[in-house]
Amino acid sequence: MIEVKYHGQHLHLSWDQWETRVRQGRIQPDASVRFPPITGDLFVPAHELEIFNSLFNQRALRWSQAVAEAGPPVLTALLVGAQLRVWWLSKVPGGTAMLQNHFAKWTPLILEDAEVHRLLTMGVLHTSLDHLIMNMLWLGYTGLHLERALGWRNLLWLFGASVLGGSVASTFLNPAFPSLGASGGIFGLVAASVIFGLTRPELIPERTRGFFGFFLLPYLVLMLISGFQSPLTDNWAHLGGMITGIVLAFLVDPPQMQRHRGWNTRLHLTSLVIAALLMGGLAWFGPAVQPLWDARRIERVQARRQSQPLPTLPAPSDRELFHRAPPGYRPAVHVSPAEVFLSPDGRTSWQVTSRRTPSPRTTDELFAAWRDEAGRKGWILSDISSQPTELPNAAYAVHYRAMARRDQQERIVHVHIGVRGIHALLAEYIHPPSREAHLRPTHERLLASISWNVEDALLGLQEAVFLDASSFEQRRRLAAAYSEHGDVAEATRMYERLLDEVPDDWASHKGLLKHWSWYPLSADAPDRLLEGALQANASPQSISLMADFLDQAGLHDRAEALLWAAWIDEPGHTALRRALHQRGHRLQGTNARWPILLAYSPSQDAFTSPEERLTLLQTDDLVIRSARLEDRLQTERAWLQERFDTLDPAWQLRSLMWLSELGGWTDPRAAHQQLVTDLTGLLRGEELDWWLPGLPGAGRLLSIVERQGPLPQDLLGPSGP
């Protein structure tokens, strides 16, 4: 039994009663105490006894009294009021878009545009009423008790730090979508209330213990579970705010019980410095630490958000093209003709595409096509520069940089183009001119993320040939793959070996012709390859294909000569007619007056007469010799055209009549009528069945013919050009 005398009272207390009263401050240090095992029969001041000093905490007593006598929670009311007023602002026309565009958490805008204020302003934004009500209930509840227990400075510090911790976690772990709301700060306050109640239960007045510790823990768990059940909830902001609140709750002290003098002040200042360094570092080094996701993953996230069917997501090693993009970008159209990943502000874009071209193209040709497409969208490119660069698995690559302008907009365009045979890789990064240096780390990281497995098909064919070297078809396919991938020597070697085995294999001839048209091998290659191909297959369809290969190789005259030679052999064939029509020749019937074409050459060095030439072409097999002859005749006719144009109209008319006689029109009246018909057709833009110079003065010739009427026979003499 312990006796206590204080202010005229004489109390007899058990040990439990003594401990409770001392802890509650109901026994003061100057009270007289007698405890026979220690004091004997004497009453001594309480502050001289260890059993009193070990239980009595003056600072705890003052803190308990302050909590019990605390005034209205002014800061909590201000925080709730500010949130309500911002929500009202969102109801103004255009208010929601303005708040989201300028103050919500958007990872690309924070890290690329250095808009780090969004890390804090997101904590005061709400655009939906249910979100606002739920957050304000918890803010009012936890804010009220924490402000009384820890003071308004610690409450403001806890809330602001939890908002920042939640927004930073969301920036890096949930970067694909914007976030807003005070949830991160509120999770931090609830978590701090739980930790404070668990670590210092003896200090909390009994009547307020239900607002801290284990009493709040179930609600915190339910809040987390509720967030995970909604796909639109930013749970990383919740977790970031909660972890921040837990850490700070172990550090903060009530104002009356600070572990060192000025402890809370130093804690606040240190936190401000850390926050400033963090936000400044993100503003400066944001592009270097910006998250980059698999581009296909971004497409899936966007599709899930919009409740669209999810695209497949094969492993990166199973894809021909793999690259990353900044999450938060969305598929859209920008300067590039193709769909790109566009930043939230619509000023920066990134895309990587691969394509197969009909034949090998240079990087300059591909960039010219890209520039033309951009031009059709209204963008004008200037200040174009280029330099060699490197892209994965590209035989060579070039980096093109240009300034693109449209209306009042300006963009810096970076187009990286790599080629390997007929395969092309294009990587496009476009941004405002003012951000080029700042965004260079992002640009470099995006390029480094590209994986172009263009050789996978080639490797598969190599393995198939290795397993079955006797398969002629597999080896031919491998030769084509070598050609498509730009391995000129290996493709040539394989095709030649195939033709050594089966000389009349048309498919191998066709593959070798295509290979030669892509990569010219030698000066005599056209004749040698065409002769072999013609021996294997001289059908009009095959000849049309050969002409296409000659065109691809730039030998347009040789291609046309081959078609004309084939037309002599099989006049009127549909495949040849179509091929000649595509080259601008419109033929009627079987072109019965074709022999006149061969009579228009003044050169007699190789043959004594046009008849001999015609006989050769009509009786000889269709070989390269006839195509070469026709090629020379085309050149001679071009020379004759130039000479013909120098004649005055009268001599031109005499020449036409002379040519008509060579064509078999011995009757002057028939010749006159035919010339009128042909000249009239020429004026209408028709192409004649027989060669007629395209004369600027055709109208004058027509008037001369019509005015003179039938010409006398002597006019059809040997005079000519």
Side-chain angles (χ1 to χ4, degrees), residues 37 41 126 131 140 142 148 166 187 222 224 248 252 286 325 337 424 441 460 472 507 517 520 533 635 658 698:
D41 294 334
H126 296 84
H131 190 200
T142 57
R148 287 180 173 177
F187 267 82
L222 288 174
L224 285 172
L248 298 184
V252 69
F472 192 86
S517 69
T635 303
W658 174 68

Side-chain angles (χ1 to χ4, degrees), residues 6-239:
Y6 184 68
H7 289 185
Q9 297 182 12
H10 191 173
L11 305 174
H12 293 79
L13 305 175
S14 65
W15 176 258
D16 290 339
Q17 291 173 328
W18 161 263
E19 184 177 3
T20 300
R21 285 175 178 257
V22 172
R23 289 185 183 279
Q24 293 177 348
R26 295 166 63 183
I27 298 178
Q28 296 300 310
D30 57 350
S32 297
V33 178
R34 183 168 74 92
F35 186 37
I38 297 177
T39 66
D41 294 334
L42 300 177
F43 281 87
V44 299
H47 64 83
E48 295 180 5
L49 299 173
E50 181 62 26
I51 61 172
F52 175 83
N53 292 330
S54 63
L55 298 174
F56 183 79
N57 189 327
Q58 184 67 39
R59 293 186 302 171
L61 178 62
R62 290 199 304 268
W63 176 75
S64 296
Q65 292 173 345
V67 172
E69 300 171 359
V74 177
L75 180 62
T76 301
L78 290 175
L79 289 175
V80 173
Q83 302 271 357
L84 291 173
R85 282 163 176 77
V86 173
W87 177 77
W88 277 113
L89 181 60
S90 70
K91 301 306 158 185
V92 176
T96 298
M98 184 273 294
L99 292 174
Q100 291 181 345
N101 291 340
H102 296 285
F103 300 104
K105 184 234 77 181
W106 255 120
T107 295
L109 300 180
I110 292 172
L111 300 180
E112 292 184 358
D113 293 1
E115 297 182 5
V116 292
H117 64 274
R118 295 171 177 268
L119 296 171
L120 294 175
T121 55
M122 69 164 288
V124 296
L125 297 183
H126 296 84
T127 56
S128 65
L129 183 59
D130 55 345
H131 190 200
L132 174 73
I133 292 175
M134 185 61 66
N135 280 351
M136 292 308 98
L137 287 175
W138 278 107
L139 178 59
Y141 181 82
T142 57
L144 167 66
H145 301 295
L146 283 175
E147 185 172 357
R148 287 180 173 177
L150 301 177
W152 69 269
R153 291 183 179 86
N154 286 332
L155 173 63
L156 181 61
W157 173 68
L158 278 171
F159 181 76
S162 298
V163 168
L164 181 61
S167 61
V168 170
S170 176
T171 296
F172 288 96
L173 300 175
N174 184 38
F177 299 103
S179 299
L180 50 82
S183 300
I186 291 168
F187 267 82
L189 296 183
V190 176
S193 299
V194 172
I195 297 301
F196 187 76
L198 294 177
T199 56
R200 304 183 185 183
E202 75 283 355
L203 301 181
I204 303 175
E206 184 174 356
R207 66 177 182 175
T208 60
R209 287 180 184 174
F211 307 132
F212 300 93
F214 279 113
F215 297 98
L216 280 183
L217 185 58
Y219 295 100
L220 180 60
V221 174
L222 288 174
M223 291 165 63
L224 285 172
I225 295 175
S226 176
F228 285 119
Q229 290 178 342
S230 173
L232 301 180
T233 300
D234 189 351
N235 291 293
W236 285 112
H238 293 178
L239 292 172

Side-chain angles (χ1 to χ4, degrees), residues 543-566:
I543 292 171
S544 298
L545 187 60
M546 295 179 207
D548 291 338
F549 293 152
L550 288 169
D551 277 331
Q552 293 177 20
L555 301 177
H556 306 294
D557 291 340
R558 183 67 56 82
E560 190 163 314
L562 180 62
L563 289 172
W564 281 124

